Amino acid sequence: MKIDHLVSQIHKKKSFLCIGLDTDLDKIPKHLLTEKDPIFSFNKEIIDATNQFCVAYKPNIAFYEAYGLKGWKSLEKTMDYLNSEHPNIFTIADAKRGDIGNTSTRYAKAFFETLNFDSITVAPYMGKDSIEPFLSFEDKHTILLALTSNEGAYDFQTKRIDGQELYKEVLEESKSYKNAERLMYVVGATKAVYLQDIRRIVPESFLLVPGVGAQGGNLQEVCKYGITKNIGLLVNSSRGILYASNNMDFAEAAAEKAKNIQREMEIELNKLE
Amino acid sequence: MKIDHLVSQIHKKKSFLCIGLDTDLDKIPKHLLTEKDPIFSFNKEIIDATNQFCVAYKPNIAFYEAYGLKGWKSLEKTMDYLNSEHPNIFTIADAKRGDIGNTSTRYAKAFFETLNFDSITVAPYMGKDSIEPFLSFEDKHTILLALTSNEGAYDFQTKRIDGQELYKEVLEESKSYKNAERLMYVVGATKAVYLQDIRRIVPESFLLVPGVGAQGGNLQEVCKYGITKNIGLLVNSSRGILYASNNMDFAEAAAEKAKNIQREMEIELNKLE
């Protein structure tokens, strides 16, 4: 998907919500467990109920891999469903991959071609030649981990390297990569004020912001420091929406939660006009 | 697998060779492509021909994921074959995963339980709470990326953070993690002299050393600086062995290459006595 198309969807839906499909058999409503493919059944109902309120879905690959072959089948079905029924929705493989050149190309093919995702999250530790292979795919996007929303983010990411924090060094360096215009960045919302500094380094790039809600981030703060004229934000919510109810009404409850967030986003978007 | 068992296998086989199963349909002998599962057929013949010369196999997960469901099936079959026919062989999922707590646990289950690997490679960027979930599995090992063998290793890993290189900070910090005795580290052989410094920080830990051969490392150098009284080394070779020939004799050619490396290793091991 081209960025322009994503931006136009944001304006159309008055939303920059991304819904994380962290589908967990231990948490989905019990009545779904008798279905042939409970993970897909759950995802399908969630997608049907929430797609009008969001512009992106983000399956967290670990949740599918944990179930082996069966999990991959559920992921494939989910992606086929999204790509055929909702081609205007941006899809993110939250895979946090990262490997050497030739191997990165394999991962890129797995997610961009075999599964037809629009984007993938990638870890920066192995440097430029582990990231550029992902960037060579046209109309596909690589979402580099910069500043994550977990406690361990303070272990290395915020430590100073050559005088500036490692995550800033990652942002800075990545701007010189080939096809850098296909980069986006993960920036945890638990640190909204950091967004000011981040915007100085990457004023235009899209940021994928996890952690609004469950992890304690605040939408107004994120917008205050992070929003650009092209919006430049995808704010993710996973558990808060998926598991709003674990009864028969789970899809409606999820839709209700998504709609509430969409409305907050609409207020923020209206401020720009 | 317990470390003691791995060490006893090294002594028994006079080898600390790990063979990387980076199985690529574009590179395997053409006559295998008509088989029902060419990837598994190739792996099985390679394993049958080389298992006496090595103590570990390391499937690079990207190569399997690139083929989607079919690839996962080949990986499952390969692991079932290794676990049933060669239970004394140490298995490494070269997956370079890394995610937040709850998600890391999912990845750990996928590889340690569903696929029954002995170990997995993990990236450190997200810090302690992304790594400790892997360490909670008994008799399983987490192989943390410290200093990789690619060019991009110089982008961040060797930069100074609080006065010392990032990869040393990673080594140092990780020693305080819960169940740190289950950690091993990836250290690229292209930088054998770095091993001296690394051994000062982690004098006993096992190091997985890629890059001997194809990537230009040298076995004698690696042993000189890296070997410990418990050996503490697994040296990996992938393409040099797998693709020694792409004719009908590929398995014998692979065995010949593996045997040559094993003999060099035997010489190094004899020096210790």
Side-chain angles (χ1 to χ4, degrees):
Chain A
M1 185 181 291
K2 292 191 193 303
I3 288 286
D4 288 352
H5 190 72
L6 173 60
V7 175
S8 79
Q9 287 296 305
I10 291 173
H11 287 298
K12 191 176 156 195
K13 290 180 161 177
K14 300 274 179 205
S15 170
F16 43 96
L17 175 62
C18 171
I19 298 181
L21 296 172
D22 301 4
T23 308
D24 182 342
L25 287 179
D26 295 339
K27 284 191 185 156
I28 68 175
K30 295 283 165 285
H31 72 274
L32 290 175
L33 298 177
T34 55
E35 302 263 330
K36 202 178 154 206
D37 184 341
I39 295 177
F40 175 68
S41 298
F42 177 81
N43 287 352
K44 184 179 173 301
E45 288 206 48
I46 290 285
I47 292 165
D48 289 345
T50 60
N51 71 81
Q52 57 183 308
F53 307 116
C54 69
V55 292
Y57 286 105
K58 177 175 77 63
N60 187 322
I61 306 305
F63 283 76
Y64 301 84
E65 271 190 7
Y67 301 111
L69 265 183
K70 229 174 46 193
W72 268 87
K73 203 167 266 173
S74 306
L75 180 62
E76 263 192 16
K77 280 166 76 178
T78 302
M79 286 307 295
D80 285 348
Y81 187 70
L82 280 172
N83 283 317
S84 63
E85 300 301 311
H86 302 286
N88 288 322
I89 295 244
F90 188 76
T91 51
I92 302 169
D94 196 1
K96 302 190 176 72
R97 297 299 191 260
D99 209 309
I100 296 174
N102 156 33
T103 310
S104 277
T105 305
R106 296 268 148 186
Y107 279 127
K109 283 190 178 173
F111 291 102
F112 290 156
E113 292 180 354
T114 310
L115 290 165
N116 198 19
F117 273 97
D118 291 310
S119 66
I120 183 175
T121 58
V122 167
Y125 192 73
M126 295 181 76
K128 180 176 170 170
D129 57 355
S130 73
I131 298 155
E132 283 191 337
F134 288 98
L135 295 174
S136 68
F137 290 74
E138 213 173 328
D139 295 334
K140 301 289 184 179
H141 307 275
T142 302
I143 311 179
L144 200 56
L145 300 188
L147 186 61
T148 56
S149 57
N150 61 319
E151 244 190 85
Y154 299 102
D155 291 352
F156 308 115
Q157 297 167 25
T158 57
K159 291 215 170 134
R160 282 178 186 275
I161 190 165
D162 293 342
Q164 80 175 341
E165 292 97 323
L166 174 59
Y167 78 91
K168 289 186 188 169
E169 186 78 9
V170 167
L171 290 169
E172 201 77 78
E173 282 271 319
S174 69
K175 285 165 67 180
S176 68
Y177 294 170
K178 198 175 170 190
N179 300 309
E181 70 282 3
R182 294 176 188 154
L183 280 169
M184 299 180 173
Y185 302 93
V186 171
V187 179
T190 45
K191 305 162 187 87
V193 289
Y194 285 61
L195 282 167
Q196 247 177 325
D197 283 357
I198 290 168
R199 278 297 180 211
R200 260 179 231 124
I201 308 175
V202 287
E204 304 278 337
S205 306
F206 258 84
L207 307 179
L208 171 63
V209 185
V212 173
Q215 291 163 62
N218 175 303
L219 186 67
Q220 287 73 33
E221 288 260 295
V222 168
C223 291
K224 181 175 168 192
Y225 298 113
I227 214 160
T228 70
K229 66 175 194 307
N230 270 333
I231 316 309
L233 292 175
L234 287 172
V235 169
N236 183 74
S237 176
S238 305
R239 284 165 286 172
I241 292 174
L242 299 190
Y243 308 119
S245 155
N246 68 353
N247 294 318
M248 299 295 286
D249 68 342
F250 74 97
E252 292 138 68
E256 195 56 33
K257 289 276 181 188
K259 191 164 122 189
N260 289 342
I261 302 177
Q262 180 274 321
R263 282 190 177 158
E264 282 187 64
M265 289 176 169
E266 189 166 349
I267 294 169
E268 296 301 319
L269 290 171
N270 286 337
K271 288 183 190 168
L272 295 178
E273 283 163 12
Chain B
M1 185 184 290
K2 289 190 193 305
I3 288 286
D4 289 353
H5 190 72
L6 172 59
V7 175
S8 79
Q9 286 296 306
I10 291 173
H11 287 297
K12 192 176 154 195
K13 289 179 161 177
K14 301 273 179 207
S15 170
F16 43 96
L17 175 61
C18 171
I19 297 180
L21 297 172
D22 301 3
T23 307
D24 182 342
L25 286 179
D26 296 337
K27 285 191 185 156
I28 68 175
K30 295 284 166 284
H31 73 275
L32 291 175
L33 298 178
T34 56
E35 302 263 329
K36 200 177 154 207
D37 184 342
I39 296 178
F40 175 68
S41 297
F42 178 81
N43 286 353
K44 185 179 172 302
E45 287 205 48
I46 290 285
I47 293 165
D48 288 345
T50 60
N51 72 80
Q52 57 183 307
F53 306 117
C54 69
V55 293
Y57 286 105
K58 177 175 77 63
N60 186 322
I61 306 306
F63 284 76
Y64 301 86
E65 270 190 7
Y67 301 111
L69 265 182
K70 229 174 46 190
W72 269 87
K73 203 167 265 171
S74 305
L75 180 62
E76 263 192 17
K77 280 166 77 178
T78 302
M79 286 308 295
D80 285 348
Y81 187 70
L82 279 171
N83 282 317
S84 63
E85 300 301 311
H86 302 286
N88 289 321
I89 296 245
F90 188 75
T91 51
I92 302 169
D94 196 1
K96 303 191 175 69
R97 296 299 190 261
D99 211 307
I100 296 175
N102 157 32
T103 310
S104 278
T105 305
R106 295 269 147 184
Y107 279 127
K109 283 191 177 171
F111 291 102
F112 291 157
E113 293 180 354
T114 309
L115 289 165
N116 198 19
F117 274 97
D118 292 310
S119 66
I120 183 174
T121 57
V122 168
Y125 192 72
M126 295 181 75
K128 181 175 170 170
D129 57 355
S130 72
I131 298 155
E132 283 190 337
F134 289 97
L135 295 173
S136 68
F137 290 74
E138 212 172 328
D139 295 334
K140 301 288 183 181
H141 307 275
T142 301
I143 312 180
L144 200 57
L145 300 188
L147 186 60
T148 56
S149 56
N150 61 319
E151 244 190 85
Y154 298 102
D155 292 350
F156 307 114
Q157 298 167 25
T158 57
K159 291 218 169 130
R160 282 177 187 275
I161 190 165
D162 295 341
Q164 79 174 341
E165 291 98 322
L166 175 58
Y167 78 91
K168 289 186 186 168
E169 186 78 9
V170 167
L171 290 168
E172 201 77 79
E173 282 271 319
S174 69
K175 286 164 67 181
S176 67
Y177 294 170
K178 199 174 171 192
N179 300 310
E181 71 282 3
R182 294 174 189 156
L183 280 170
M184 299 181 173
Y185 302 93
V186 172
V187 179
T190 44
K191 306 162 185 88
V193 289
Y194 285 61
L195 282 166
Q196 247 177 326
D197 283 357
I198 290 167
R199 277 299 179 210
R200 261 179 229 126
I201 308 174
V202 288
E204 305 278 336
S205 306
F206 257 85
L207 306 180
L208 171 63
V209 185
V212 172
Q215 290 163 62
N218 174 303
L219 185 67
Q220 288 73 34
E221 287 260 295
V222 168
C223 291
K224 181 174 169 192
Y225 299 112
I227 214 160
T228 70
K229 66 176 196 305
N230 270 332
I231 317 308
L233 292 175
L234 287 172
V235 169
N236 184 73
S237 177
S238 304
R239 285 165 284 172
I241 292 174
L242 298 190
Y243 307 118
S245 156
N246 68 352
N247 294 319
M248 298 295 286
D249 67 342
F250 74 98
E252 292 138 65
E256 194 57 32
K257 289 277 182 186
K259 192 164 122 189
N260 289 343
I261 302 178
Q262 179 275 320
R263 282 190 178 158
E264 283 187 64
M265 289 177 166
E266 187 166 350
I267 293 169
E268 296 302 317
L269 290 170
N270 285 339
K271 288 182 189 168
L272 295 177
E273 279 164 14

